[in-house]
Amino acid sequence: DWNDWQAAEFKQLDQYEAQETFGTPEPLPSGANVLNLLWTYLIKDDGRKKARCVCNGAKNMRGSVTLAETYAASLEQTGSRLFWAATAINNFISIGADAANAFAEAPPPVAPLYVRIDEPFREWYRHKYPDRPPIPPGYVMRVHKALQGHPESPRLWSVLIDKIIRELNLKPCTHEPNLYFTNSYKHTGKRVLFLRQVDDFAISCEDRITAIDVISSINDKMSIDVKELGIISRFNGVDITQTRDFIKLSNATYL
């Protein structure tokens, strides 16, 4: 099944190209911060093969990395329970969404960063640009976006997506910054609840049209569209049941 895995690698690198993550291959500048690329592979629950390209920002590599603030808020179970309780009390429909290759939407770390070009990238480059000369050994690329694996990337993504969500007049809760709400989304008088766990989102409101509008508004700020996942049945390891009686209440807009 190697062809499937290579297609997954190429898909990941196509996404990085669309997001303008890497610069042009070049010799390593003198004194530059440089890290290796790492690949992880997994099979999703639906059988899809996924390859993820990250950089090696492990502790033993910190001599090559200038660290800034690395804290990024993470969803706590209390906030998650509040969100689902509020969804049930308001009799809302809840729609899921997933930001693809999210970290690379954010700006790069403070210190200029380069990565060494590895064999999967060379294979993709040869496949993508057969008319160009091969990349010479030892070449690197400047990183122009946040790259997963770098210690600063979670914070950089968190700051970006928080700003985008706030611009929709969704306000974070004081003690749970991953839980947002508004009582009048875009001055429509509609209440919207928004749950964020890194790059996974849940939007609860009275109809699907409003939820899709929230996702579309976020997409306006992204280079790769956030994927709408439909009515949520599972989120962050929790099984979610939205019953037929619940959906009936929203069928005028959902259907």
Side-chain angles (χ1 to χ4, degrees):
D1 60 351
W2 166 242
N3 289 338
D4 295 338
W5 289 112
Q6 187 175 59
E9 289 181 346
F10 285 4
K11 179 180 178 180
Q12 168 77 118
L13 293 173
D14 284 340
Q15 290 177 333
Y16 277 142
E17 184 178 49
Q19 293 169 305
E20 301 179 343
T21 303
F22 300 123
T24 304
E26 60 178 294
L28 177 63
S30 177
N33 292 330
V34 60
L35 295 174
N36 293 326
L37 291 174
L38 293 175
W39 287 86
T40 62
Y41 304 86
L42 61 87
I43 300 177
K44 306 283 283 187
D45 290 342
D46 59 7
R48 288 181 296 119
K49 296 180 176 67
K50 182 169 184 177
R52 186 184 299 278
C53 180
V54 304
C55 66
N56 186 359
K59 291 181 180 179
N60 62 338
M61 301 297 291
R62 284 186 178 177
S64 300
V65 177
T66 299
L67 293 178
E69 295 180 44
T70 59
Y71 173 79
S74 181
L75 178 66
E76 294 186 358
Q77 283 211 13
T78 302
S80 179
R81 292 184 179 190
L82 283 171
F83 176 82
W84 296 116
T87 297
I89 290 171
N90 284 277
N91 214 21
F92 283 165
I93 188 172
S94 193
I95 301 298
D98 175 33
N101 227 36
F103 283 12
E105 297 286 347
V110 174
L113 176 67
Y114 292 80
V115 291
R116 295 184 178 91
I117 297 175
D118 62 2
E119 189 56 31
F121 188 92
R122 292 177 189 277
E123 291 179 359
W124 171 83
Y125 191 85
R126 287 193 294 265
H127 174 81
K128 189 87 171 183
Y129 304 107
D131 297 331
R132 295 184 183 180
I135 301 173
Y139 267 39
V140 298
M141 299 177 292
R142 176 77 177 268
V143 180
H144 294 299
K145 297 293 183 68
L147 189 60
Q148 187 166 344
H150 190 282
E152 294 180 50
S153 294
R155 177 185 59 85
L156 294 168
W157 160 251
S158 181
V159 170
L160 174 69
I161 191 61
D162 177 73
K163 179 182 177 182
I164 291 172
I165 295 170
R166 287 172 183 252
E167 288 175 351
L168 300 179
N169 196 34
L170 287 159
K171 299 179 181 179
C173 296
T174 301
H175 300 292
E176 180 47 81
N178 290 287
L179 180 59
Y180 302 78
F181 72 97
T182 180
N183 286 322
S184 185
Y185 177 70
K186 290 187 175 180
H187 308 291
T188 60
K190 293 183 177 181
R191 178 176 296 174
V192 172
L193 309 177
F194 190 104
L195 189 63
R196 171 175 66 89
Q197 172 64 337
V198 189
D199 57 357
D200 294 320
F201 310 136
I203 304 104
S204 292
C205 48
E206 65 182 56
D207 57 73
R208 186 170 184 171
I209 291 176
T210 302
I212 291 176
D213 188 80
V214 174
I215 296 171
S216 177
S217 297
I218 294 175
N219 279 337
D220 290 341
K221 307 292 185 179
M222 299 285 181
S223 54
I224 296 180
D225 282 351
V226 172
K227 183 180 180 182
E228 192 239 319
L229 303 176
I231 296 176
I232 287 179
S233 60
R234 187 174 178 82
F235 187 87
N236 199 34
V238 177
D239 293 325
I240 309 299
T241 300
Q242 301 191 49
T243 67
R244 183 176 302 174
D245 288 340
F246 170 85
I247 295 175
K248 272 184 180 180
L249 295 172
S250 299
N251 67 355
T253 50
Y254 172 66
L255 297 177

